[in-house]
Amino acid sequence: MLTYNLNPHQSEPLYQQLYLALKNDITTAKLRGHEKLPSKRKLAKHLGLSVTTVDTAYQQLIAEGYLYSKPNSGFFVSDIQHVLISTDSPIRPVFHKTTSPVVDNSLLVPAKPYQHQQDFPFSVWSNLLKQVLNQDSHKLLEPAPSGGVQDLKEAIAQHLYDFRGMLVSPEQIIIGAGTEYLYSLISQLFGPKQHIAIEDPSYSRIAKVYLSHQIPLTYLPISADGINLKDLEQSRADILHISPSHQFPTGQVLPVNKRYQLLGWASQADNRYIIEDDYDSEFRFKHRPIPSLKEIDQSDKVIYMNTFSRSLLTTLRIAYMILPPKLLATFHDKLGFYSPTVSNLEQYTLARFISQGYFERHLSRMRLRYQKKLESCHQTIKKSPLKDKITITEDHSGLHFVLVVKTDLNEKDLVKNCRQKGILLSPLSDFAHNKATVPQNHFVIQYANMTTEEFVHLVATLEEVL
């Protein structure tokens, strides 16, 4: 029987302590692949815990891919040992600031991240902006390095350490005006000789940016557990662009065993890298956040990217990427001539917004608001005559979900009929390069943009059309 010393007086809750203990035993091979774990009741009784505590820990491990369950059989350890990356490299230095330097009657439901004005704390932002003008006016006159001002890079590094447990140096962080700009920098960094593989379907601008720089592209279809490793190997790509935390538009979360497989692929050649677009990672409503590829990368093969457009304002064009040390010098030599694309005033204001705790409080409010919105969508469907014909999938995280409509009606006819009634739907196929690989009558719903009344109207229209 598994035995762990869990302390109820620690700041970490008991379920988290148990989760971490089990995860450690799995990653260190103390628990082998396909080994059966004790039932929730047996382990709870043995450790003196509630069944709920054990169940919460088990469910988090299942969500991350460390465990899997079989109906009427129990819980088993996932076979991930063959994809764990061994390394002799020393532990990377920890950066921690305390220890080291719809218009009219239409519903628009495409990939258009927009937040209602009342969601953004304008008064706080205004006060911080005034502070920067009054206290740091001399900094505003100094030319900022192309990678961004140090204050913001330190604030981001600290936030990633606190929120994701990610260990990065501020010097690795590059600030840019939106992710499309950063895609452009990456294209120039690697050049047209490097072959990039992207997910299919995916955010359309990713391919557009790379193709505009004459980068050879391969589109990898997404299966039930993400892209297929054999497809990636056969593509002969040097770089993989992926959104593992909440893939757009499918909403899938990449399981941890697949994450290790991809890291293993990247470690097999010096010129291989993974671009991790951590899209929507701040908004997860069930269990703890799954570790990012960057967190578990031991070979410095991950270029991590994120943006504040989803979490703050779309018009606040501030994004960042974290470059591996091997690429950092090349970046500054090759692209360091670029002037910063985000003003000093915005950078210093955002730095204060993060470091003074406003960003985390804002995220907490938004998670609660969006979780309530999501629950409202579920309740609307449950009350509808269509409850057996429409289903919400992939809603554990992020600000969109996929609405599956069970009907014999052709997708084009369904979209056309809804459009005639003032509803503009976005089929999953609209985001696919190879439309034959995408299921029909799956629609991307940006629920964060919608009011309860708008979603009720959407469901009522589907009822009428069907």
Side-chain angles (χ1 to χ4, degrees), residues 368-386:
L368 181 59
R369 175 173 294 198
Y370 292 138
Q371 193 167 14
K372 289 181 178 179
K373 275 194 171 188
L374 189 56
E375 181 58 31
S376 176
C377 293
H378 280 283
Q379 291 302 321
T380 298
I381 291 177
K382 287 181 180 180
K383 296 175 183 177
S384 167
L386 292 182

Side-chain angles (χ1 to χ4, degrees), residues 240-287:
L240 171 64
H241 187 125
I242 190 171
S243 300
S245 292
H246 190 238
Q247 202 275 340
F248 185 87
T250 66
Q252 288 184 351
V253 178
L254 194 70
V256 74
N257 58 328
K258 181 61 70 71
R259 298 181 188 223
Y260 279 114
Q261 289 177 4
L262 296 180
L263 289 171
W265 167 84
S267 68
Q268 293 171 8
D270 290 339
N271 64 332
R272 287 184 180 177
Y273 287 94
I274 297 175
I275 301 169
E276 179 179 19
D277 200 337
D278 210 18
Y279 178 81
D280 269 359
S281 64
E282 296 88 357
F283 300 103
R284 184 166 177 82
F285 309 118
K286 295 184 180 180
H287 314 300

Side-chain angles (χ1 to χ4, degrees), residues 93-328:
V94 179
F95 171 77
H96 199 291
K97 205 162 189 177
T98 59
T99 60
S100 67
V102 199
V103 180
D104 299 327
N105 294 321
S106 296
L107 287 179
L108 192 61
V109 198
K112 183 180 180 182
Y114 168 82
Q115 278 188 311
H116 295 291
Q117 180 172 323
Q118 65 267 26
D119 291 342
F120 185 75
F122 282 102
S123 59
V124 172
W125 188 266
S126 177
N127 289 334
L128 293 176
L129 189 148
K130 291 176 182 177
Q131 288 180 23
V132 173
L133 289 172
N134 293 329
Q135 300 171 17
D136 294 333
S137 57
H138 62 287
K139 293 183 179 179
L140 301 179
L141 300 176
E142 298 173 358
S146 61
V149 302
Q150 188 69 14
D151 287 26
L152 179 55
K153 298 203 288 186
E154 289 184 358
I156 292 174
Q158 182 67 60
H159 168 71
L160 291 173
Y161 179 84
D162 294 336
F163 177 67
R164 299 298 298 263
M166 195 180 299
L167 314 177
V168 299
S169 167
E171 282 65 35
Q172 294 176 252
I173 297 175
I174 306 297
I175 310 295
T179 51
E180 290 91 347
Y181 171 74
L182 296 179
Y183 300 156
S184 178
L185 290 182
I186 289 175
S187 300
Q188 296 173 66
L189 178 64
F190 289 117
K193 292 183 179 181
Q194 297 286 70
H195 187 152
I196 296 181
I198 65 174
E199 299 166 305
D200 189 29
S202 63
Y203 181 49
S204 61
R205 292 188 186 180
I206 297 173
K208 289 180 179 178
V209 173
Y210 290 144
L211 290 173
S212 71
H213 288 276
Q214 289 76 51
I215 303 290
L217 281 186
T218 294
Y219 300 84
L220 301 178
I222 298 176
S223 60
D225 64 343
I227 63 171
N228 187 293
L229 187 62
K230 290 184 179 179
D231 291 341
L232 176 60
E233 292 172 340
Q234 292 173 0
S235 73
R236 298 185 179 181
D238 308 300
I239 301 160
L240 171 64
H241 187 125
I242 190 171
S243 300
S245 292
H246 190 238
Q247 202 275 340
F248 185 87
T250 66
Q252 288 184 351
V253 178
L254 194 70
V256 74
N257 58 328
K258 181 61 70 71
R259 298 181 188 223
Y260 279 114
Q261 289 177 4
L262 296 180
L263 289 171
W265 167 84
S267 68
Q268 293 171 8
D270 290 339
N271 64 332
R272 287 184 180 177
Y273 287 94
I274 297 175
I275 301 169
E276 179 179 19
D277 200 337
D278 210 18
Y279 178 81
D280 269 359
S281 64
E282 296 88 357
F283 300 103
R284 184 166 177 82
F285 309 118
K286 295 184 180 180
H287 314 300
R288 290 160 46 86
I290 295 178
S292 65
L293 286 165
K294 184 66 178 177
E295 290 173 66
I296 59 177
D297 174 27
Q298 295 296 313
S299 302
D300 285 325
K301 286 292 186 175
V302 175
I303 301 171
Y304 179 91
M305 301 180 67
N306 210 332
T307 177
F308 294 98
S309 295
R310 295 287 278 182
S311 53
L312 292 177
L313 278 179
T314 306
T315 52
L316 187 68
R317 302 296 296 166
I318 303 180
Y320 63 93
M321 65 179 174
I322 302 171
L323 292 177
K326 293 179 182 178
L327 292 178
L328 197 58

